Amino acid sequence: RYGQAETDHQIGAATGLAYTQAGGDTLSIEVSLSKGTGKLTLTGKLGDVMKESAKAAFSYIRSRTDELKIEPDFHEKYDVHIHVPEGATPKDGPSAGITMATALVSALTNRPVRKEVGMTGEITLRGRVLPIGGLKEKSLSAHRAGLTTILMPAENEKDLEEIPDSIKEDLNFVKVKHLDEVLDQALLPPNEDE
Amino acid sequence: RYGQAETDHQIGAATGLAYTQAGGDTLSIEVSLSKGTGKLTLTGKLGDVMKESAKAAFSYIRSRTDELKIEPDFHEKYDVHIHVPEGATPKDGPSAGITMATALVSALTNRPVRKEVGMTGEITLRGRVLPIGGLKEKSLSAHRAGLTTILMPAENEKDLEEIPDSIKEDLNFVKVKHLDEVLDQALLPPNEDE
Amino acid sequence: RYGQAETDHQIGAATGLAYTQAGGDTLSIEVSLSKGTGKLTLTGKLGDVMKESAKAAFSYIRSRTDELKIEPDFHEKYDVHIHVPEGATPKDGPSAGITMATALVSALTNRPVRKEVGMTGEITLRGRVLPIGGLKEKSLSAHRAGLTTILMPAENEKDLEEIPDSIKEDLNFVKVKHLDEVLDQALLPPNEDE
Amino acid sequence: RYGQAETDHQIGAATGLAYTQAGGDTLSIEVSLSKGTGKLTLTGKLGDVMKESAKAAFSYIRSRTDELKIEPDFHEKYDVHIHVPEGATPKDGPSAGITMATALVSALTNRPVRKEVGMTGEITLRGRVLPIGGLKEKSLSAHRAGLTTILMPAENEKDLEEIPDSIKEDLNFVKVKHLDEVLDQALLPPNEDE
Amino acid sequence: RYGQAETDHQIGAATGLAYTQAGGDTLSIEVSLSKGTGKLTLTGKLGDVMKESAKAAFSYIRSRTDELKIEPDFHEKYDVHIHVPEGATPKDGPSAGITMATALVSALTNRPVRKEVGMTGEITLRGRVLPIGGLKEKSLSAHRAGLTTILMPAENEKDLEEIPDSIKEDLNFVKVKHLDEVLDQALLPPNEDE
Amino acid sequence: RYGQAETDHQIGAATGLAYTQAGGDTLSIEVSLSKGTGKLTLTGKLGDVMKESAKAAFSYIRSRTDELKIEPDFHEKYDVHIHVPEGATPKDGPSAGITMATALVSALTNRPVRKEVGMTGEITLRGRVLPIGGLKEKSLSAHRAGLTTILMPAENEKDLEEIPDSIKEDLNFVKVKHLDEVLDQALLPPNEDE
Ligand SMILES: [Ca+2]
Ligand SMILES: [Ca+2]
Ligand SMILES: [Ca+2]
Ligand SMILES: [Ca+2]
Ligand SMILES: [Ca+2]
Ligand SMILES: [Ca+2]
Ligand SMILES: [Ca+2]
Ligand SMILES: [Ca+2]
Ligand SMILES: [Ca+2]
Ligand SMILES: [Ca+2]
Ligand SMILES: [Ca+2]
Ligand SMILES: [Ca+2]
């Protein structure tokens, strides 16, 4: 399934783009909520920077519950687990920040994530989207995986030049400056039937 | 007893398949529940990846208590201990994920695990079963141990080619994509007599 | 956006000046408050000295809630997250002390931070501003970023000699001895409209 | 006193057999209960495997309070301290598992441990007794210490061949598969007079 | 400001004397109290010995609240932060013990510390003052800083021989055996006007 | 003061005997109680074995409150701090066990420790006194310090041969097997006047 787009719109799971020495790869970010007391668990052999990035995404969402239509006290009523399969592969860096934020909001609002969307970008506590590295390699892997829309930091615009035209024909690159734009692009309306 | 199948269907214990430099081995995953306050203890000289895998299995189960017919607040009423004997042998990797999930569900539902079943597969927070390595060596050790059914990730189908026909005659390989299928295959109805 | 001044007066974000082997840089300090129980989270690949500096800023503010017109029990009602993007860049040293204090007070009083102000200085538990290193390099980066006012420790006055006149023409250097002066210079009146 | 059998049947203390590079040795496992809140303290320069073994013994007992006639909520009402003198000697390995379990049950049930009994065996969460190493050396040290009964894992039966007949004449080797058998052999009826 | 005496009598701040490879130095110990739940925070790049010294000072004060006229339950009602600027300079050793105790008592009793007093000495749990090293170098730095009274351990009396007469003319050396004497010498009556 | 006997019978302080590469030394063990919630703090640059020894002493006392005439719930009402000056000197080993136990019982019962008594011996959870090393060197330092009674493990009897007659004339060696004997020898009746 990895290296492929999701076959359904998923709640609580979003597709990120990773860049390693071996090239680009897609990675799935999974969020699980259970009744609890506000514990945040982060797994998937994540490095310190990636864990901090998850905490920044989490704090941003906590501070914006009104605007995001999330229960204001969700973090006291649920335990939140963010996992990034494949569990044996080390992962690090801040560029999954907006993907983790998207998966979190999806899980908390019951809004599915569009299956054809991949994304990459550091998130800040104010929801800003900061630039990332490896856009070319990430785009190639997104293409291979069958994704059709890539959400990327506006500040990475210059990196689009390096991307082959054949890829640009198939992939819709959407430049974003703030998480609000990410969520608008990536999330569907709430799923009522669970 | 190790290197052998269980002699009885056990509650709270499932048989996994490990792959080490020394070849394949079977390993027993034990789960013990006691009245408590939700503490999760992991022992048996487990590496970080294996511990994270246990947490993923645990979170998956917590988020699916309705479907699995488990008390929704079990994690607040019990302490859960997952142990993997033999305690002096280091163990790591994500491939025991579905075995840990199965032993947990068995302990929580009072459903015995079929003694003739061994299994291997990474689990994700959504219950998906991801591919693993060493299927050939694991199958040989399962055969030696007298198991007759092997639950394996569907994505490992190609690895079946490498397995000798003599083994395939004795072992029933069942390809699974989701933990639901694992539980259907591995668990018996609840044991009422305790 | 980095290497640039803020485009708006921000609540809960202040601009500091960093000095690394690669020269000077501006850095944004972000503070996020959420309903909580008093947990302080520090992220952004911060070294121990920088984390301790944040704690000193935090304790100073806690001990001066009356004078700063902050709810006396804010630290019991909110969780506070201080983050310093860019998350992959290691940061350390005590010179962001007054910037962290300013961002904290801004978030707690709803007073925006003037977007044209950058600052550098160690803070003590009594709110004193101690001298820092690299004022020249920091000033050059502040200039490049379009800032117009620099708050600097009074004890660094002698370092002004090394700064080129062309920079001094554009930058207003304000010497400060205590955080009270920093806050007077950096903060606007409370923003009422949120 | 070490290197000797106990001079009285003790409550909360059992004699194990250790195997080190220097040969076999006896070691005393002590358990102390005090009114508390369920804290488990492990001391005596114990390695990680030995600590995990203690936790497995503890969880087994917690999950079997009914059968063992122990107060079901003992772990919430007492703090439990397991100590292995001599405090300067490093100790590790899983083979003291059944000894720790026996000392714990003794302390919790007020049943003295027979002073002439030594034991060795790994314990699992289901109370099974797994094989250990160094039975020969352990037996020699048990003999020197004046013990007369050795409880050993049934799976170690083959190792009895290596033990000199002179030792076998003095020592009664009892093969055990489950902790229930260990407790039957090692514990006397409850001591009523404290 | 460092390397200088305080310009005012301070509440919650006392001047210690440090001895490093680079010679002697004065250092300021700051204490901040905020409403809280008894947390003790120690910052300023302090080594383990210096942190333990702070804990000893803290415990001594907690055990002597009656004699010191401190609220008996202060440690449950306040969080206490002890900070030693300059935050980037590593500091260690037990000789700041009495300085930390003095700053703590000052903060807890609202009694200012005389600005002309510097001090050095290890503290024990019984309030005894133990000898320290580097008295000569410490005295030179105290002199440079404009201090006029030095509180020193009585057991260091012999070290006074090494101190130049020119220094002895300006500095009043007061030998102390117990913290009671330190507090008598260093603290002014309570400041009523806050 | 170190290297000397106490000048008064102290409550909450006992004199131990240490053995280092530099020879023997006396060391003072201090115990401070403050109203609290049962926290045990151990300071004085203590190694792991010495910390575990303190915990064993503490657990022994907790389990024997009736016999020792100590409030049964003392560990819930007080915080206990054990400190071993001089804070910069590393200390380790189990031989201060009975000294720590004695200082603890002294503090908890208000019974002064005889100032002329020094002691050495490992303690177990059952209050047994185990043998130690360096009795000769310890005795010489005790003699130098002006102590007149040494409590030593009965199992170290053979080591008395090595001690010079001139020392034996001045020092009264008392062999002990259990902490009860230590307390009988070392403690005076309760001090009523505080
Ligand atoms: Ca992949
Ligand atoms: Ca809000
Ligand atoms: Ca095996
Ligand atoms: Ca559910
Ligand atoms: Ca930058
Ligand atoms: Ca105030
Ligand atoms: Ca021994
Ligand atoms: Ca039961
Ligand atoms: Ca200085
Ligand atoms: Ca008192
Ligand atoms: Ca000494
Ligand atoms: Ca008792």
Side-chain angles (χ1 to χ4, degrees):
Chain A
R1 211 188 42 75
Y2 282 76
Q4 297 173 31
E6 299 280 345
T7 51
D8 289 298
H9 305 313
Q10 298 279 332
I11 292 176
T15 302
L17 304 175
Y19 172 46
T20 68
Q21 288 168 313
D25 201 0
T26 55
L27 83 179
S28 184
I29 308 281
E30 298 183 324
V31 171
S32 161
L33 302 178
S34 348
K35 296 265 180 236
T37 57
K39 209 173 131 199
L40 176 62
T41 301
L42 303 168
T43 56
K45 212 167 185 177
L46 311 183
D48 287 347
V49 171
M50 196 160 177
K51 283 182 182 165
E52 291 195 345
S53 200
K55 287 180 192 169
F58 192 62
S59 287
Y60 173 73
I61 291 167
R62 281 182 57 186
S63 71
R64 302 273 291 188
T65 47
D66 297 346
E67 297 80 351
L68 297 169
K69 300 196 196 322
I70 293 169
E71 295 174 81
D73 55 349
F74 81 89
H75 66 279
E76 291 169 0
K77 294 164 55 181
Y78 297 99
D79 287 342
V80 176
H81 188 155
I82 303 178
H83 179 65
V84 190
E86 319 161 12
T89 306
K91 307 162 193 87
D92 207 354
S95 75
I98 61 172
T99 320
M100 293 193 283
T102 301
L104 270 165
V105 174
S106 166
L108 288 162
T109 58
N110 227 20
R111 297 175 64 186
V113 182
R114 289 178 193 274
K115 68 179 192 294
E116 71 277 12
V117 174
M119 63 189 79
T120 180
E122 178 172 345
I123 192 171
T124 85
L125 278 190
R126 289 177 285 168
R128 305 230 182 180
V129 181
L130 300 189
I132 48 76
L135 186 66
K136 182 180 171 188
E137 292 80 0
K138 287 171 173 175
S139 300
L140 295 174
S141 75
H143 187 255
R144 275 195 306 272
L147 298 171
T148 59
T149 298
I150 301 302
L151 308 184
M152 58 172 276
E155 287 191 58
N156 282 103
E157 182 165 14
K158 65 184 183 318
D159 298 330
L160 288 173
E161 294 169 20
E162 300 173 34
I163 295 176
D165 287 344
S166 60
I167 301 288
K168 285 185 196 159
E169 277 165 24
D170 292 346
L171 285 180
N172 176 25
F173 287 92
V174 181
K175 284 159 283 194
V176 292
K177 292 185 170 175
H178 195 276
L179 188 68
D180 291 348
E181 302 163 61
V182 175
L183 299 177
D184 283 349
Q185 294 282 340
L187 296 183
L188 292 166
N191 191 334
E192 303 295 350
D193 59 40
E194 186 175 342
Chain B
R1 210 189 41 75
Y2 283 76
Q4 298 172 31
E6 299 280 346
T7 50
D8 289 299
H9 306 312
Q10 300 280 332
I11 292 176
T15 302
L17 305 175
Y19 172 46
T20 69
Q21 287 168 313
D25 201 359
T26 56
L27 83 179
S28 183
I29 307 281
E30 298 183 325
V31 170
S32 160
L33 302 178
S34 348
K35 296 266 181 234
T37 56
K39 208 173 132 199
L40 176 62
T41 301
L42 303 168
T43 55
K45 212 168 186 175
L46 311 184
D48 287 347
V49 171
M50 196 159 176
K51 282 182 182 166
E52 290 194 345
S53 200
K55 288 179 191 168
F58 192 63
S59 287
Y60 173 74
I61 291 167
R62 282 182 57 187
S63 70
R64 302 273 292 189
T65 47
D66 297 346
E67 297 80 351
L68 297 168
K69 299 195 197 322
I70 293 169
E71 295 174 82
D73 54 350
F74 81 89
H75 66 279
E76 291 168 0
K77 295 165 55 181
Y78 297 99
D79 288 341
V80 176
H81 189 154
I82 304 178
H83 179 65
V84 190
E86 318 160 10
T89 306
K91 306 161 192 88
D92 206 354
S95 75
I98 61 172
T99 320
M100 294 194 282
T102 300
L104 271 165
V105 174
S106 166
L108 288 162
T109 58
N110 228 20
R111 297 174 63 185
V113 181
R114 290 177 191 273
K115 67 178 192 294
E116 71 276 14
V117 174
M119 62 189 81
T120 180
E122 178 172 345
I123 191 171
T124 85
L125 279 190
R126 289 178 283 169
R128 306 230 181 179
V129 181
L130 300 189
I132 48 75
L135 185 67
K136 182 181 172 188
E137 291 80 0
K138 288 171 173 175
S139 299
L140 295 174
S141 74
H143 187 254
R144 276 196 306 272
L147 298 171
T148 57
T149 298
I150 301 302
L151 309 184
M152 58 172 276
E155 289 192 58
N156 282 103
E157 182 165 13
K158 67 185 181 316
D159 298 331
L160 287 174
E161 294 171 20
E162 300 173 35
I163 295 176
D165 287 344
S166 60
I167 300 288
K168 284 186 198 160
E169 277 166 24
D170 292 346
L171 285 180
N172 176 27
F173 287 93
V174 181
K175 284 160 282 193
V176 291
K177 292 186 170 175
H178 194 277
L179 187 68
D180 291 348
E181 303 162 60
V182 174
L183 300 177
D184 284 348
Q185 295 281 339
L187 296 183
L188 292 166
N191 190 335
E192 303 296 349
D193 59 39
E194 185 175 345
Chain C
R1 209 188 44 73
Y2 282 77
Q4 298 171 33
E6 299 280 345
T7 51
D8 290 298
H9 306 313
Q10 300 279 332
I11 292 176
T15 302
L17 304 174
Y19 172 46
T20 68
Q21 288 168 313
D25 201 359
T26 56
L27 83 179
S28 185
I29 307 281
E30 299 183 323
V31 170
S32 161
L33 302 178
S34 348
K35 297 263 181 237
T37 57
K39 208 174 131 196
L40 176 61
T41 302
L42 303 168
T43 56
K45 211 166 185 178
L46 312 182
D48 287 347
V49 171
M50 195 159 177
K51 283 182 182 165
E52 290 194 346
S53 199
K55 286 180 192 168
F58 192 62
S59 287
Y60 173 73
I61 291 166
R62 283 181 56 186
S63 71
R64 302 274 292 188
T65 48
D66 297 346
E67 297 80 351
L68 297 168
K69 300 194 197 323
I70 293 169
E71 294 174 82
D73 55 351
F74 82 87
H75 66 278
E76 291 169 0
K77 295 164 55 180
Y78 297 100
D79 287 341
V80 176
H81 188 155
I82 304 178
H83 179 66
V84 190
E86 317 161 12
T89 306
K91 306 162 191 88
D92 207 353
S95 76
I98 61 171
T99 321
M100 293 193 283
T102 300
L104 270 165
V105 174
S106 167
L108 288 162
T109 59
N110 227 20
R111 297 175 64 186
V113 181
R114 289 178 193 274
K115 68 179 191 295
E116 71 277 12
V117 174
M119 64 189 78
T120 180
E122 178 172 344
I123 192 171
T124 85
L125 278 191
R126 288 177 285 168
R128 305 230 181 179
V129 181
L130 300 188
I132 48 75
L135 186 66
K136 182 181 172 188
E137 292 80 0
K138 287 172 173 175
S139 300
L140 296 174
S141 74
H143 187 255
R144 275 195 307 272
L147 298 170
T148 58
T149 298
I150 301 302
L151 309 183
M152 58 172 276
E155 287 191 59
N156 282 103
E157 183 165 14
K158 65 182 184 317
D159 298 329
L160 288 173
E161 294 171 20
E162 301 172 35
I163 295 176
D165 287 344
S166 60
I167 300 288
K168 284 186 196 158
E169 277 164 24
D170 293 346
L171 286 180
N172 177 27
F173 287 92
V174 181
K175 284 159 282 194
V176 292
K177 292 185 171 175
H178 194 276
L179 188 68
D180 291 347
E181 302 162 60
V182 176
L183 299 177
D184 282 348
Q185 294 282 339
L187 296 184
L188 293 166
N191 191 335
E192 303 295 351
D193 59 41
E194 187 175 343
Chain D
R1 211 189 40 76
Y2 284 76
Q4 297 172 32
E6 299 280 346
T7 51
D8 289 299
H9 305 313
Q10 299 280 332
I11 292 175
T15 302
L17 304 175
Y19 172 47
T20 69
Q21 287 168 313
D25 200 0
T26 56
L27 84 178
S28 184
I29 308 281
E30 298 183 325
V31 170
S32 161
L33 301 178
S34 346
K35 296 263 181 238
T37 56
K39 208 173 132 198
L40 176 62
T41 301
L42 303 168
T43 56
K45 213 167 185 175
L46 312 183
D48 287 347
V49 171
M50 196 159 176
K51 283 182 181 165
E52 289 195 345
S53 198
K55 287 180 192 167
F58 192 63
S59 287
Y60 173 73
I61 291 166
R62 282 182 57 187
S63 70
R64 302 272 292 189
T65 49
D66 297 347
E67 296 81 350
L68 297 168
K69 299 197 198 320
I70 293 170
E71 294 175 82
D73 54 350
F74 81 88
H75 66 280
E76 291 169 0
K77 295 164 55 181
Y78 297 100
D79 288 341
V80 176
H81 188 155
I82 303 178
H83 179 65
V84 190
E86 319 160 9
T89 306
K91 306 161 193 86
D92 207 353
S95 76
I98 62 172
T99 321
M100 294 193 282
T102 300
L104 271 165
V105 174
S106 167
L108 288 162
T109 59
N110 228 20
R111 297 175 64 186
V113 182
R114 289 176 192 275
K115 67 177 192 294
E116 71 276 13
V117 173
M119 62 189 80
T120 179
E122 178 172 344
I123 191 171
T124 85
L125 279 190
R126 289 178 284 168
R128 305 231 181 178
V129 181
L130 300 189
I132 49 74
L135 186 66
K136 182 181 173 188
E137 292 80 0
K138 288 172 172 175
S139 300
L140 295 174
S141 74
H143 187 255
R144 275 196 306 274
L147 298 171
T148 58
T149 297
I150 302 301
L151 309 184
M152 58 171 277
E155 289 191 58
N156 281 103
E157 183 165 13
K158 68 186 180 318
D159 298 330
L160 288 173
E161 295 170 19
E162 301 172 35
I163 296 176
D165 287 345
S166 60
I167 300 289
K168 285 187 197 158
E169 277 165 24
D170 292 346
L171 285 180
N172 176 25
F173 287 92
V174 181
K175 283 159 283 192
V176 292
K177 292 186 170 175
H178 194 277
L179 188 68
D180 291 348
E181 302 162 60
V182 175
L183 300 177
D184 283 349
Q185 295 281 338
L187 297 182
L188 293 166
N191 190 335
E192 302 296 350
D193 59 39
E194 186 175 344
Chain E
R1 210 189 44 75
Y2 283 76
Q4 297 172 32
E6 299 281 345
T7 51
D8 290 299
H9 306 313
Q10 300 278 333
I11 292 176
T15 302
L17 304 175
Y19 172 47
T20 68
Q21 287 168 314
D25 201 359
T26 56
L27 83 178
S28 185
I29 307 282
E30 299 183 324
V31 170
S32 161
L33 301 179
S34 348
K35 296 263 181 239
T37 56
K39 208 174 131 197
L40 176 61
T41 301
L42 303 168
T43 56
K45 211 166 185 177
L46 312 183
D48 287 347
V49 171
M50 195 160 178
K51 283 183 182 165
E52 290 195 345
S53 199
K55 287 179 192 168
F58 192 63
S59 286
Y60 173 73
I61 291 167
R62 282 181 58 187
S63 70
R64 301 273 292 190
T65 49
D66 297 347
E67 298 79 352
L68 298 167
K69 300 194 196 322
I70 293 170
E71 295 174 81
D73 54 350
F74 81 89
H75 65 279
E76 290 169 1
K77 295 165 55 181
Y78 297 99
D79 287 341
V80 176
H81 188 155
I82 304 178
H83 179 66
V84 190
E86 317 160 12
T89 306
K91 306 162 193 87
D92 207 353
S95 76
I98 61 171
T99 321
M100 294 193 283
T102 300
L104 271 165
V105 174
S106 167
L108 287 163
T109 59
N110 226 22
R111 296 176 65 186
V113 181
R114 288 177 194 275
K115 68 179 191 295
E116 71 276 12
V117 174
M119 63 190 79
T120 179
E122 178 172 343
I123 191 171
T124 84
L125 278 190
R126 288 177 285 168
R128 305 230 181 180
V129 181
L130 300 189
I132 48 75
L135 187 66
K136 182 182 172 188
E137 292 81 0
K138 288 172 173 175
S139 299
L140 295 174
S141 74
H143 187 255
R144 276 195 306 273
L147 298 170
T148 58
T149 298
I150 302 302
L151 310 184
M152 58 172 276
E155 287 192 59
N156 282 103
E157 183 165 14
K158 67 184 183 315
D159 299 330
L160 288 173
E161 295 171 18
E162 301 172 35
I163 295 176
D165 287 344
S166 60
I167 300 289
K168 284 186 197 157
E169 278 164 25
D170 294 345
L171 285 180
N172 177 25
F173 287 92
V174 181
K175 284 159 283 194
V176 291
K177 291 186 171 174
H178 194 277
L179 188 67
D180 290 347
E181 303 162 60
V182 175
L183 299 177
D184 282 347
Q185 295 281 339
L187 296 183
L188 293 166
N191 190 334
E192 302 296 350
D193 59 40
E194 186 175 344
Chain F
R1 212 188 41 76
Y2 283 76
Q4 297 171 32
E6 299 280 345
T7 51
D8 290 299
H9 305 313
Q10 299 280 333
I11 291 175
T15 302
L17 303 175
Y19 172 46
T20 69
Q21 288 167 314
D25 200 359
T26 56
L27 85 177
S28 184
I29 307 281
E30 299 183 325
V31 170
S32 162
L33 302 178
S34 347
K35 296 265 181 237
T37 56
K39 208 174 131 197
L40 176 62
T41 301
L42 303 168
T43 56
K45 212 167 185 176
L46 312 183
D48 288 346
V49 170
M50 196 161 177
K51 283 183 181 164
E52 289 194 344
S53 199
K55 287 180 193 168
F58 192 62
S59 287
Y60 174 73
I61 291 166
R62 283 182 57 187
S63 70
R64 301 274 291 190
T65 49
D66 297 347
E67 297 80 350
L68 297 168
K69 299 195 197 322
I70 294 169
E71 295 174 81
D73 54 350
F74 81 88
H75 66 279
E76 290 168 1
K77 294 164 57 181
Y78 296 100
D79 287 341
V80 175
H81 188 155
I82 304 178
H83 179 65
V84 190
E86 318 162 8
T89 306
K91 306 161 192 87
D92 208 354
S95 75
I98 60 172
T99 321
M100 293 193 283
T102 301
L104 270 166
V105 174
S106 166
L108 288 163
T109 59
N110 227 21
R111 297 175 64 185
V113 182
R114 287 176 194 275
K115 68 178 191 294
E116 71 276 12
V117 174
M119 62 190 79
T120 179
E122 178 172 344
I123 191 171
T124 84
L125 279 190
R126 289 177 284 168
R128 305 229 181 181
V129 181
L130 300 190
I132 48 75
L135 186 66
K136 182 182 173 188
E137 291 81 359
K138 289 173 173 174
S139 300
L140 295 174
S141 73
H143 187 255
R144 276 195 306 273
L147 298 171
T148 58
T149 298
I150 301 301
L151 309 183
M152 59 171 276
E155 288 191 59
N156 282 103
E157 184 165 13
K158 68 186 180 316
D159 298 329
L160 288 173
E161 295 170 19
E162 302 172 34
I163 296 176
D165 287 344
S166 60
I167 300 289
K168 285 187 196 159
E169 277 164 24
D170 293 345
L171 286 180
N172 176 26
F173 287 92
V174 181
K175 284 160 282 193
V176 291
K177 292 186 171 175
H178 194 277
L179 188 68
D180 290 348
E181 303 161 61
V182 175
L183 300 178
D184 283 349
Q185 295 281 339
L187 296 183
L188 293 165
N191 190 335
E192 302 295 350
D193 59 39
E194 186 175 342

